[in-house]
Amino acid sequence: MSVIAVATGRGAWARLGAGIRHHKMASFGAGIVILMVLSALLAPWLAPHDPLEQDVLLRLASPSADFPLGNDSFGRDILARILWGGRVSLYVSTLSVLIAIFVGGALGILAGYIGGLFDRVLMAAMDVLLSFPTLVMGLLVVAMMGPTVGNLILAITLTAVAPFARIARAPTLTVKERDFVEAGRALGFSHLRIMVVHILPNVLDDILVMGALWLATAIRTEASLSFIGLGVRPPTASWGGMIREGFENILDAPWLAIFPSIAILVVMFGLNMLGDGLRDTSDPRLRHE
Amino acid sequence: MSEAGELPLAVDGLTTAFRVEGRWYDAIRDVSFSVARNETLALVGESGCGKSITALSIMGLVPKANGRITAGRVLLDGRDLVPLDETEMEKIRGNAISMIFQEPMTSLNPVLPIGFQVAEALRYHTALTGEAARARALALLEHVKVPSAARRFDDYPHQFSGGMRQRVMIAIALACSPQIILADEPTTALDVTIQAQVLALLAELKSETGMAMIFITHNLGVVASIADRVAVMYAGDLIEIAPVEELFEHPMHPYTEALLSSIPRVDRDAGDLKPIAGQVPPITAMPSGCRYADRCPLRVPRCATMPPLVGLAVDPNHQVRCWVRAADESVSA
C-alpha cells in the first residue's frame, strides 16, 4: 500500500522525529530505549555466556569478573539472562502494543467517523474492557487459556485495545468535520479512503505517543504475569521470572532480583521519558515551553 | 427544458428538504437551470439562500442524516444523478463534476504534500499510477501557475499562501478534466489582488477546456467580471435568471433590483445605499407563496401563491419568478 506509506511516511513520522531531536527529555528517553533494544537484539553476540547453561559450583555466586552480575540459583549467568530476557519482554510487549494500535486505532477511527449508534455501542464495549485492570485481564486470559507466549500477547493486547480506540476516536471527531474531508468526498473518495489516507495521518501522532507509553505498561504487565508464574515459562529467561526466582533468595543473594528489576526500571523510565517528550512536542499548546 | 440532453448540466425542479426538530422543510424548492459548454453561470444570493445546498444537491452530498432531495432531477449529459447510489456517485464526483471550495486554508489536508493530493485524484479516477500520475500532477500545478512547482511538489499546504493553495485546489479540481466545475465562493477568502488573479485563471482554464462552470458567490462585482449568465436565489427559490448584462441593466425581480441598489459604489454617496428592509424568513416559517412577499414593495394578493419561473415575452432567456413583474412585461411587450 504505497498510498499509506506516502501518507504516513512523511507527515507524522517526520514531525515526531524532529520533535524528539529538539526535546532533551525525549531524545534521552529515545537513547535509553534504542540502547535496550540493541542489547536485546544483539544478545546472542553480547552475552558472555549461555543463558541456560547451569553450573552447580556457581550457585548464587556473587558478581565476579567473569560473571559481572553474579549467578542465579542454578548457577546461570544473570547478565546473559537479562540480555536474553530483554528479547522476550520486548518481543511480547512490542507485538501486543502493535496489534493493539492496529485494532484499537482502526476501531477508534471507525467509531469517530461513523458516529451515532455504532459509536456508542463500540465505545460502551471499550469501556467494559477498560474497566478490567491490566493485571486482572492478564490473569483471566492466561488462567483460562494457558500460560503460552501467544496468550500472554493476547492478554496484554486486550487491555490495550480500549485506550487506543479512545485516543484515536477523539481527534477523529474533530478531524472529520474539517473542510478537507468534505473536499475529499467532493472528489469522489470513498469513506474508507478518507479514513485511511486523510484522517489516519492526522491522528497518528496521538496514537504513536500513546504507543510509547503503553509499551512501558506492556513490559510491566509481562513482567508481573511472569512474576506470578503466568507468563513466560522457565527455563526461558524473562525479567519478571528472574525477579521471582531471585525473590526466594533475596536475603542471601539480592543481586538475583535487583539486576532484572533495574533492567525493567530503566526501560520503563526510558519509554516514559520518550512518551512524555513526544506528547510535549506533538501538543502545540506545550510546544512553546 | 427539452434540449436538456445536449447540455452538460441541467437542473430541473430540484427540491431539497432538511429536517429541523423532526419536521421536514424545503431548503431549496423547484430550482431549475442549465449550463452550456464553455459557459459560466453565477449563482448569487445572500448567505443562507440555498446556493451551497444547490451545489451539494448536484454533487449528491446532502447529509443523509437530516437532508434529502425530495423532487427534481439533476441531468448530467442527460443522465439523472438523483437516483444514483453512492458508488456510482463516487465515480462522477471529482471526475465529471468537481468542486472548488471557499476556504483554501482548510480544504487541503495539512499533513499530506500538495503534489500527493493532486496526484491522488488522478490515481483514483484515471488509469494513471505512480510516476505517470506524478508527472501529470506536476503538469497541472504548472498549468495553474504555481511557481517552481517541481521544487515545491512535496511541500505541505502550510508552506503556501492562500492564493497558491487555491491554485492547488483548482489543479485538483481540474485533474480529471471535468465537464462541470462547481466553484463555491472560491475567491471570498482571498485578498482582492489575488482574487483577480484567481478569477482570470479560472476564466482562462474554462475557455481552454470548454467546461461549464457554476460559480457561487455573493459578490456582485465578481459576478460582473466572470459570469455569462446569472441566477439569483432568495430563501431557497431561484427568482431570476438572465444573461449578465441584461440582469445588471434590467433587473426584473424586486429582490434583484434591491440587491443591485445595495452595492456600495465609489461614484455614489454612502447615503444612496439602500439596505433591504426586513429579514429573510426562517426556514421553519417560510410562506407558501412568494418568499420575498413580506419585504416586497410591489406585493399583491396573488403573491400568497408561489409564482412560476417564466421567460419574458421580450427575451425568453430572461426568466423571473414574480407575478407582478412577469405580467407587466408580458403586457407591455
Side-chain angles (χ1 to χ4, degrees):
Chain A
M1 293 287 277
S2 66
V3 170
I4 300 173
V6 174
T8 56
R10 295 213 176 102
W13 292 105
R15 276 203 308 283
L16 287 180
I20 292 172
R21 278 194 298 280
H22 291 118
H23 195 281
K24 270 186 201 149
M25 199 168 84
S27 40
F28 186 62
I32 293 178
V33 172
I34 290 170
L35 219 62
M36 294 302 281
V37 169
L38 279 181
S39 66
L41 287 178
L42 300 176
W45 296 276
L46 286 177
H49 302 277
D50 186 331
L52 300 181
E53 188 187 290
Q54 304 186 4
D55 190 338
V56 192
L57 295 178
L58 287 169
R59 196 173 170 271
L60 299 178
S62 52
S64 62
D66 203 18
F67 298 92
L69 301 184
N71 298 70
D72 70 5
S73 51
F74 294 96
R76 295 175 296 201
D77 178 21
I78 290 179
L79 176 61
R81 288 183 67 75
I82 285 180
L83 289 171
W84 280 89
R87 285 168 83 92
V88 175
S89 291
L90 288 176
Y91 168 71
V92 169
S93 53
T94 309
L95 202 61
S96 44
V97 169
L98 280 182
I99 299 172
I101 284 181
F102 192 80
V103 177
L107 289 178
I109 291 177
L110 266 176
Y113 189 79
I114 296 173
L117 188 65
F118 179 80
D119 180 32
R120 264 178 287 159
V121 170
L122 194 75
M123 281 300 129
M126 289 297 131
D127 283 343
V128 171
L129 271 183
L130 213 55
S131 67
F132 283 95
T134 317
L135 204 57
V136 173
M137 176 68 88
L139 276 170
L140 209 68
V141 172
V142 176
M144 273 166 44
M145 304 178 60
T148 65
V149 172
N151 289 341
L152 197 57
I153 292 173
L154 177 70
I156 299 173
T157 304
L158 270 180
T159 59
V161 162
F164 282 107
R166 293 194 146 255
I167 207 88
R169 173 181 173 269
T172 303
L173 289 175
T174 57
V175 171
K176 76 165 177 181
E177 300 296 336
R178 309 248 305 261
D179 290 346
F180 64 80
V181 171
E182 199 189 359
R185 294 289 298 147
L187 279 170
F189 297 157
S190 62
H191 290 295
L192 181 67
R193 184 180 188 85
I194 289 189
M195 281 188 267
V196 175
V197 181
H198 292 268
I199 292 185
L200 175 65
N202 279 287
V203 304
L204 192 64
D205 20 1
D206 288 336
I207 296 177
L208 291 179
V209 169
M210 188 79 168
L213 295 171
W214 262 89
L215 211 51
T217 310
I219 286 179
R220 199 191 59 210
T221 310
E222 185 276 327
S224 310
L225 288 172
S226 296
F227 181 80
I228 55 176
L230 289 174
V232 180
R233 319 223 52 186
T236 309
S238 78
W239 292 344
M242 289 173 71
I243 297 174
R244 176 184 138 95
E245 286 164 26
F247 209 61
E248 292 155 14
N249 299 301
I250 195 136
L251 294 177
D252 311 326
W255 52 89
L256 259 64
I258 286 176
F259 289 120
S261 305
I262 291 176
I264 294 175
L265 196 78
V266 169
V267 173
M268 287 189 56
F269 179 69
L271 281 169
N272 277 305
M273 295 257 280
L274 177 63
D276 282 345
L278 282 179
R279 191 176 51 203
D280 289 358
T281 56
S282 67
D283 187 344
R285 279 163 304 177
L286 299 171
R287 206 169 280 165
H288 303 294
E289 287 173 15
Chain B
M1 303 291 128
S2 56
E3 79 279 39
E6 294 129 49
L7 292 163
L9 185 77
V11 174
D12 181 19
L14 190 66
T15 302
T16 301
F18 279 86
R19 189 167 52 189
V20 181
E21 285 165 2
R23 293 191 55 194
W24 291 87
Y25 298 96
D26 291 346
I28 56 170
R29 57 172 184 175
D30 194 23
V31 170
S32 301
F33 59 83
S34 58
V35 214
R37 278 177 57 76
N38 197 21
E39 184 187 46
T40 301
L41 174 76
L43 210 52
V44 301
E46 55 198 288
S47 314
C49 71
K51 303 178 303 249
S52 296
I53 302 293
T54 306
L56 291 180
S57 303
I58 293 172
M59 298 291 287
L61 286 174
V62 174
K64 288 194 180 56
N66 48 16
R68 63 176 185 211
I69 295 174
T70 51
R73 297 181 299 165
V74 175
L75 299 168
L76 175 75
D77 276 332
R79 178 187 182 203
D80 191 1
L81 301 185
V82 175
L84 293 190
D85 67 21
E86 189 57 27
T87 330
E88 288 172 299
M89 275 315 286
E90 278 168 9
K91 286 185 198 123
I92 288 167
R93 289 185 208 127
N95 198 5
I97 311 182
S98 58
M99 199 159 169
I100 303 171
F101 286 87
Q102 179 173 4
E103 282 291 338
M105 294 307 191
T106 53
S107 300
L108 289 166
N109 193 332
V111 302
L112 300 176
I114 55 120
F116 172 84
Q117 298 192 51
V118 180
E120 187 184 13
L122 289 165
R123 292 200 185 100
Y124 197 72
H125 288 295
T126 68
L128 292 177
T129 51
E131 275 307 302
R134 201 183 149 90
R136 173 90 183 104
L138 182 59
L140 278 163
L141 285 172
E142 276 163 356
H143 198 78
V144 298
K145 304 187 182 80
V146 172
S148 41
R151 192 167 50 78
R152 309 207 62 187
F153 194 81
D154 292 314
D155 282 359
Y156 290 89
H158 72 267
Q159 291 163 293
F160 289 83
S161 66
M164 282 305 137
R165 283 189 228 188
Q166 196 57 289
R167 282 168 195 264
V168 174
M169 289 300 299
I170 292 170
I172 294 174
L174 288 176
C176 302
S177 316
Q179 292 156 270
I180 296 135
I181 271 216
L182 277 170
D184 189 355
E185 309 219 13
T187 57
T188 307
L190 304 174
D191 294 345
V192 277
T193 51
I194 309 297
Q195 249 183 39
Q197 290 176 8
V198 169
L199 289 176
L201 175 71
L202 280 173
E204 191 187 320
L205 294 169
K206 189 202 71 177
S207 59
E208 262 173 37
T209 58
M211 63 190 175
M213 180 154 71
I214 296 175
F215 197 99
I216 297 173
T217 183
H218 59 246
N219 185 335
L220 290 163
V222 169
V223 171
S225 68
I226 194 163
D228 298 313
R229 285 193 304 142
V230 188
V232 184
M233 291 192 73
Y234 178 80
D237 284 341
L238 198 151
I239 53 158
E240 184 163 10
I241 182 163
V244 62
E245 276 124 26
E246 168 74 12
L247 187 99
F248 276 87
E249 279 164 30
H250 306 290
M252 291 303 296
H253 197 283
Y255 174 70
T256 316
E257 249 174 17
L259 197 63
L260 289 172
S261 54
S262 62
I263 309 175
R265 286 176 55 165
V266 182
D267 55 352
R268 296 233 186 106
D269 229 26
D272 288 347
L273 275 182
K274 289 187 208 121
I276 307 174
Q279 294 287 324
V280 180
I283 188 171
T284 51
M286 282 292 177
S288 60
C290 175
R291 288 177 169 180
Y292 188 60
D294 284 351
R295 302 167 79 179
C296 184
L298 308 175
R299 182 175 60 246
V300 294
R302 214 177 171 187
C303 297
T305 53
M306 186 181 175
L309 186 68
V310 291
L312 300 180
V314 284
D315 181 0
N317 287 325
H318 191 162
Q319 295 176 305
V320 64
R321 191 187 284 280
C322 178
W323 289 118
V324 180
R325 282 301 172 73
D328 283 0
E329 196 66 22
S330 304
V331 170
S332 67

